[in-house]
Structure formats: C-alpha cells, structure tokens
Amino acid sequence: LKEKIISMEKMAALGEMAAKVAHEIRNPLLAIGGFAKRLDKDLKEEKSKEYIKVIIEEVKRLERILNEILSFVKPYPIGKESFKIKGLVDNVINFVESTLKENNNEFKVIVKEDFSVPGNYDKLKEVLLNLISNANEATKDGLITLKIEKADKLPVEIPDIQKEYLLIEVEDTGCGIQKENLKRIFDPFFTTKISGTGLGLAISKRIVEEHGGIIKVESEINKGTIFRVYLPLHKEGGENEDFGG
Ligand code: ADP
Ligand code: MG
C-alpha cells in the first residue's frame, strides 16, 4: 500500500509537470498557428501557400497532441457524483452526428433502460467520443452502433459476483484491426493513422479502469470491431472515493 501511495504521489507530480510543460508549449504554438494563418491570407505565390498549409496542419496536430497529453496526465475527481446514462448518450449524439455524416455512416443508438452511473460525466463522455470517432474513422458507408444495457456476464472472473455492471458497446462495420496490432492499440502513441496521436484508447482505458471498469475489444479484418466497456453500477463502500486532485 505504501508503495502504491508513493507511486501515486510520483504520478501526480509528473502530471503536474507535464501539465505545466503543455501550457508553456501551447502559447508559442498558438502564436505560430495564428501568424501562419495570416501569412496564408497575404501570400500570393502557390509554393509558399503550400508550405504555410503544412505549418498550419502540423500546428493543429501539435495542439491535438497537447490536449490529449493534458487529458492523460491531469488528475480529476471521481467523487460521489453519479449521472443518468441517457443524458450522456443524448449529449454524445449531438456531438458526433455531423462527423459521422462525413463518412456516410449510419448511427444507431440502442438504450434499453436508463441507468444511474457513478463516475465522472466528462471523462466518460471522453471515452464514448474516442470510441465513436475511432469507429467512424475506420468505417465508410457503414453502420456504427452504440448499445447500452446491463451486463449479464463479465469478460473476466471477478471475485465480487454481487456487483452489477453496465455494458457500453461501440460496434462498427469498418476495416477491423490486424491481429498483431490488437495487443498494442491501448499503448500510448500507438497509431496506424497518418495524423493520429495514438492517445485516444490509452486515455480511455485509463479512465475506464479508474472507474473500476474493464475495456475489451473484439475485431475481424474487413468485418468490423466491437469495443465493450464494463462499468460498475455501484460504488464500493468507502466515503472518500476521490481520485487525485
Ligand atoms: P488514434 O485514433 O489517434 O490512432 P487511438 O488510441 O484512438 O489513436 O487508436 C489507436 C489505433 O487503434 C488506431 O490508430 C487504429 O489502428 C486502431 N483502432 C482503434 N479503434 C479502431 C476501430 N474501431 N477500427 C479499427 N481500428 C481501430
Ligand atoms: Mg482515436
């Protein structure tokens, strides 16, 4: 336990430093991006315009990486709050609808019953958005299904059988994941995309596990992929369940 506490303190210190570094990088980055955009307007020569476009794109990419690193290292409270899953789903639908249209994907949402979920609303929203945007990026003219129901069984043996879990499924009919990649997709910075950051799933896994949950993937090349997130529906005893700051 002592070791665990020390490593948590280390993590918190590391997170704080990473957050500071990220902020320091963000300001000059904003300036670079802003001036590049102005140059883009003034420039007439085609070649120069091309170069400026590269700068603007790369700055955007760095901003994305910074935001994801921040989200990865920042501690957040889980606390005693809980929220209704239907509310979260409605919010997520609004968020992703237009993006899903870009790849001509149909989006199906199945929520059989509303549940009260103990946990951090914003962080679990981040998980859903990550999974849905990955599904969308892997799929064209296909179907993406978000399904929410009570889990009738868990993918692993857990001693406390009494505990009830919620199952959140994000399924797509996209390209699938190569077998040799399956064990790496949750690693930070692992990506197969040209402009990916490889942080989405690493962050999602961490958030799910911090909520006492489990994330699993099943995939078949050219058929599609299913991500399953199991979240406990009841908090374990204890008054103080706050995580980090
Ligand atoms: P990123 O999306 O920036 O690449 P992620 O951590 O979100 O980073 O995903 C890591 C990798 O996992 C992706 O690059 C992709 O190869 C694979 N992946 C994740 N979700 C899917 C999916 N639904 N279908 C196919 N591949 C996926
Ligand atoms: Mg992603």
Side-chain angles (χ1 to χ4, degrees):
L1 180 69
K2 205 169 159 192
E3 263 167 36
K4 203 176 167 193
I5 291 171
I6 291 172
S7 96
M8 272 171 76
E9 277 172 359
K10 257 193 203 159
M11 278 301 294
L14 209 64
E16 221 170 87
M17 198 177 86
K20 275 186 191 146
V21 171
H23 280 298
E24 289 304 315
I25 294 175
R26 183 179 273 160
N27 289 332
L29 202 59
L30 286 178
I32 294 169
F35 283 115
K37 271 182 205 153
R38 277 205 219 168
L39 269 181
D40 187 35
K41 270 191 201 141
D42 290 349
L43 284 176
K44 300 277 174 287
E45 202 206 328
E46 270 316 303
K47 205 81 203 155
S48 307
K49 275 185 108 55
E50 241 173 68
Y51 298 153
I52 286 289
K53 288 255 154 42
V54 174
I55 295 176
I56 293 173
E57 277 313 303
E58 291 302 307
V59 165
K60 266 194 210 151
R61 181 175 141 85
L62 280 175
E63 275 173 32
R64 215 164 51 233
I65 294 176
L66 273 187
N67 285 337
E68 292 186 5
I69 289 178
L70 270 176
S71 156
F72 197 55
V73 298
K74 252 194 194 158
Y76 60 87
I78 290 182
K80 289 179 215 132
E81 61 183 298
S82 48
F83 60 88
K84 293 280 189 205
I85 195 74
K86 268 192 177 161
L88 174 62
V89 168
D90 288 341
N91 191 325
V92 164
I93 293 174
N94 281 332
F95 237 83
V96 298
E97 251 176 354
S98 60
T99 344
L100 294 183
K101 268 186 205 131
E102 282 168 24
N103 282 347
N104 200 25
N105 287 320
E106 195 190 322
F107 189 39
K108 202 161 123 191
V109 179
I110 306 169
V111 188
K112 289 178 179 153
E113 202 185 320
D114 205 0
F115 295 94
S116 189
V117 181
N120 186 304
Y121 178 94
D122 289 323
K123 288 287 151 179
L124 290 171
K125 178 175 161 187
E126 214 176 303
V127 172
L128 279 187
L129 291 179
N130 275 329
L131 295 181
I132 294 169
S133 61
N134 278 345
N136 184 48
E137 283 157 14
T139 313
K140 278 219 153 53
D141 307 315
L143 175 66
I144 290 158
T145 312
L146 169 64
K147 192 161 106 187
I148 292 179
E149 62 192 11
K150 198 177 217 166
D152 56 359
K153 63 175 184 346
L154 287 179
V156 288
E157 290 280 334
I158 288 189
D160 184 4
I161 308 268
Q162 300 303 325
K163 218 187 231 172
E164 290 181 301
Y165 282 77
L166 183 69
L167 170 59
I168 302 173
E169 260 184 27
V170 177
E171 179 171 5
D172 67 59
T173 57
C175 62
I177 302 171
Q178 303 278 343
K179 208 165 183 183
E180 66 264 31
N181 289 344
L182 265 182
K183 48 186 179 300
R184 302 172 64 197
I185 56 170
F186 293 104
D187 293 349
F189 300 111
F190 175 80
T191 183
T192 57
K193 297 167 193 170
I194 294 164
S195 64
T197 63
L199 284 168
L201 285 179
I203 292 171
S204 301
K205 182 167 197 266
R206 194 170 136 185
I207 294 171
V208 169
E209 288 176 354
E210 279 165 358
H211 280 79
I214 302 164
I215 184 165
K216 289 280 168 194
V217 60
E218 195 185 316
S219 187
E220 205 176 320
I221 293 296
N222 293 329
K223 278 251 167 99
T225 303
I226 309 179
F227 279 89
R228 294 189 176 91
V229 172
Y230 299 83
L231 289 175
L233 279 170
H234 307 286
K235 277 266 235 334
E236 298 160 44
E239 274 289 283
N240 191 357
E241 290 254 331
D242 284 78
F243 186 88

